């Protein structure tokens, strides 16, 4: 767990912006400089020295995730871990543009910052007074904030939005679909107008049985969140939104065509984006790009031309899987390193890599990807070369 800020810490930090900027020029903020950094900070900040060091450290960590807007923010370690990457937050805020929104778990205000520029009225509340004070500092005037329990409505007529915690009070990660507060409790508390819910991307949303739309969002190939849109904002049942830092991206929904064939591997094997897989839209992705499935139960696709999105691997060899076969392939190819991807087979990649290391006799720059998959009733192996990410 990170440093636990007190209300006094936050009041000091909110009034000492110039001091923090000046301190940042002198502190290394590295693991091996922690003691000297603390000593330096305490000379100028006294009992709040640790809070200064933590704030500067978090601001540096926040830049890749939250962008330049967070350069002068107040944050906590847990809030930064759960905060939405700026590109994802802005995409979600675009869907809420024009609505009056109440973020009932506003934390330090990261999602409110995106909403404030798009919505005519935004309100934020959180049970933690320290985070509410940080949000007030981060957002400035113009955004209403209150200390309130997410399960005790303090607004009327606004669309509720909630991003419930993934960790408990001791910092332990909550498993499965459990959150604090729970999704069921949030829905019950805001039954008059069901909330928009941000949840972990791996959640079993079918098991929730919640009406409306499920949108799984990825950024640069990594699934970042699932958003449960209530019926009033639902457009489809399932959606995959693929975002990229470059600005490229696309959407798929369950209303797109999904009629594809099942056949042996062609020139390429394609691993669709994580959002596509978790939104159960693999067949729809294949239909859009002229691909087919290797097996009806397998997320791997194949085709003669790689699509512009998702990882693609040029097939060099294909045969029923045995360790002797793939070891021979690696030696013949002169591979120095091998990535191992497994679907549907009881094979542990790290253990197999150890057994194959004697077959890696080439230069480390000569990389290959070994794909192992259950196809039909058998185990197939494919030696491939990964295409550079588009």
């Amino acid at each position: 767990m990170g440093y636990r800020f007190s209300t006094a810490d936050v009041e000091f930090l909110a009034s000492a912006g110039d001091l923090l900027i000046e301190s940042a020029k002198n502190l290394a903020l590295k693991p091996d400089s922690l003691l000297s950094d603390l000593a330096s900070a305490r000379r100028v900040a006294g009992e709040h020295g640790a809070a200064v060091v933590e704030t500067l450290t978090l601001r540096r960590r926040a830049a890749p995730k939250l962008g330049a807007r967070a350069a002068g923010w107040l944050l906590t370690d847990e809030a930064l871990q759960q905060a939405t990457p700026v590109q994802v937050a802005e995409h979600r805020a675009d869907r809420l543009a024009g609505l009056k929104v109440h973020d009932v778990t506003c934390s330090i205000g990261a999602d409110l910052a995106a909403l404030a520029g798009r919505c005519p009225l935004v309100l934020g509340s959180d049970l933690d007074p320290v985070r509410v004070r940080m949000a007030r500092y981060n957002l400035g005037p113009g955004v209403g904030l209150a200390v309130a329990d997410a399960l005790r409505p303090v607004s009327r007529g606004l669309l509720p939005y909630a991003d419930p915690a993934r960790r408990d009070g001791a910092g332990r990660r909550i498993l499965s679909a459990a959150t604090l507060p729970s999704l069921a409790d949030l829905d019950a508390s805001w039954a008059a107008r069901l909330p928009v819910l941000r949840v972990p991307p791996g959640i079993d949303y079918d098991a929730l049985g919640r009406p409306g739309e499920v949108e799984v969002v990825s950024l640069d190939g990594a699934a970042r969140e699932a958003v449960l849109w209530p019926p009033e904002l639902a457009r489809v049942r399932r959606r995959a939104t693929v975002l990229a830092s470059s600005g490229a991206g696309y959407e798929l929904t369950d209303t797109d065509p999904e009629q594809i064939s099942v056949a042996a591997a062609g020139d390429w094997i394609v691993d669709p984006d994580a959002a596509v897989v978790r939104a159960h839209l693999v067949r729809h992705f294949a239909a859009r790009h002229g691909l087919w499935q290797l097996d009806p139960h397998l997320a791997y696709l194949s085709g003669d031309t790689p699509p512009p999105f998702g990882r693609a691997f040029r097939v060099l060899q294909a045969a029923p899987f045995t360790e002797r076969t793939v070891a021979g392939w690696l030696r013949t190819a002169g591979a120095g390193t091998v990535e191992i991807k497994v679907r549907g087979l009881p094979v542990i990649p790290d253990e197999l890599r150890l057994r194959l290391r004697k077959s890696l006799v080439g230069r480390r720059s000569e990389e290959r990807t070994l794909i192992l998959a259950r196809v039909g009733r058998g185990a197939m192996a494919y030696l491939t070369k990964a295409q550079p990410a588009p």
Side-chain angles (χ1 to χ4, degrees):
M1 291 181 64
Y3 177 81
R4 297 186 69 87
F5 290 87
S6 67
T7 302
D9 284 332
V10 178
E11 293 301 335
F12 173 82
L13 295 168
S15 62
D18 292 340
L19 173 64
L20 296 183
I21 293 172
E22 189 62 30
S23 299
K25 298 177 182 178
N26 303 318
L27 302 183
L29 301 179
K30 297 180 180 179
D32 59 357
S33 67
L34 178 60
L35 292 179
S36 60
D37 289 340
L38 281 172
S40 298
R42 283 171 179 151
R43 282 195 290 271
V44 293
E47 63 181 320
H48 304 293
V52 169
V53 171
E54 179 79 348
T55 297
L56 293 172
T57 301
L58 291 174
R59 285 179 177 180
R60 291 189 185 182
R61 282 175 44 202
K65 188 175 190 180
L66 301 181
R69 67 183 185 178
W73 276 11
L74 302 181
L75 313 104
T76 72
D77 180 69
E78 185 178 349
L80 177 57
Q81 288 185 49
Q82 184 159 328
T84 313
V86 61
Q87 299 95 327
V88 179
E90 290 178 348
H91 163 75
R92 186 182 343 98
D94 285 340
R95 287 195 62 172
L96 294 167
L99 298 174
K100 298 177 180 179
V101 180
H102 178 185
D103 183 346
V104 303
T105 57
C106 74
S107 186
I108 60 169
D111 286 337
L112 280 173
L115 291 169
R118 295 165 170 82
C119 300
L121 174 66
V122 292
L123 172 67
S125 60
D126 198 281
L127 191 58
D128 185 345
V130 168
R131 294 192 185 188
V132 172
R133 180 63 182 92
M134 287 183 170
R136 194 178 306 280
Y137 178 85
N138 296 340
L139 299 172
V143 177
L145 291 162
V147 177
D149 188 335
L151 301 181
R152 296 179 181 273
V154 294
S155 66
R156 292 182 181 179
L158 277 65
L159 175 68
Y161 162 77
D163 180 9
R166 319 284 198 270
R167 296 177 182 272
D168 63 16
R172 294 183 294 263
R173 184 175 293 277
I174 300 168
L175 301 178
S176 71
T179 58
L180 289 175
S182 74
L183 306 184
D185 286 345
L186 285 165
D187 277 348
S189 298
W190 298 90
R193 193 176 189 186
L194 286 180
V196 177
L197 298 176
R198 178 183 183 242
V199 297
I203 195 171
D204 184 358
Y205 47 81
D206 287 331
L208 294 176
R210 192 178 196 259
E213 174 187 331
V214 178
E215 179 185 19
V216 183
V217 184
S218 69
L219 176 64
D220 296 332
R224 299 291 184 168
E225 67 181 26
V227 182
L228 308 183
W229 297 95
E232 70 168 290
L233 297 175
R235 302 171 187 167
V236 295
R237 179 57 191 145
R238 298 192 316 280
R239 180 188 307 272
T241 298
V242 177
L243 304 175
S245 297
S246 64
Y250 65 93
E251 288 189 340
L252 277 173
T253 75
D254 59 342
T255 63
D256 289 314
E258 60 172 318
Q259 289 71 39
I260 61 171
S261 60
V262 177
D267 293 336
W268 295 85
I269 289 178
V270 176
D271 189 5
D273 185 89
V276 173
V277 176
R278 294 185 181 186
H280 303 165
L281 296 173
V282 171
R283 292 174 59 86
H284 306 72
F285 178 85
R288 177 177 293 189
H289 296 289
L291 307 173
W292 60 86
Q293 285 183 295
L294 298 175
D295 182 275
H297 307 292
L298 200 63
Y300 284 133
L301 303 171
S302 189
D304 297 323
T305 303
F309 299 99
R311 293 192 70 193
F313 306 85
R314 180 177 286 281
V315 179
L316 307 175
Q317 302 279 359
F321 169 58
T322 68
E323 289 191 20
R324 182 175 182 179
T325 296
V326 298
W329 286 348
L330 294 173
R331 284 193 297 270
T332 301
T337 59
V338 60
E339 174 189 22
I340 300 176
K341 300 171 67 67
V342 180
R343 290 266 173 87
L345 295 174
V347 176
I348 300 175
D350 288 343
E351 293 180 0
L352 177 59
R353 187 179 293 105
L354 285 174
R355 295 195 295 271
L356 293 174
R357 62 184 176 182
K358 291 183 179 179
S359 301
L360 299 174
V361 295
R363 296 174 298 172
R364 293 189 62 82
S365 60
E366 198 63 36
E367 301 175 353
R368 293 291 183 269
T369 299
L370 180 63
I371 297 175
L372 308 177
R374 179 169 296 282
V375 178
R377 295 187 176 182
M380 286 293 297
Y382 306 91
L383 183 68
T384 71
K385 186 172 180 60
Q387 173 184 260

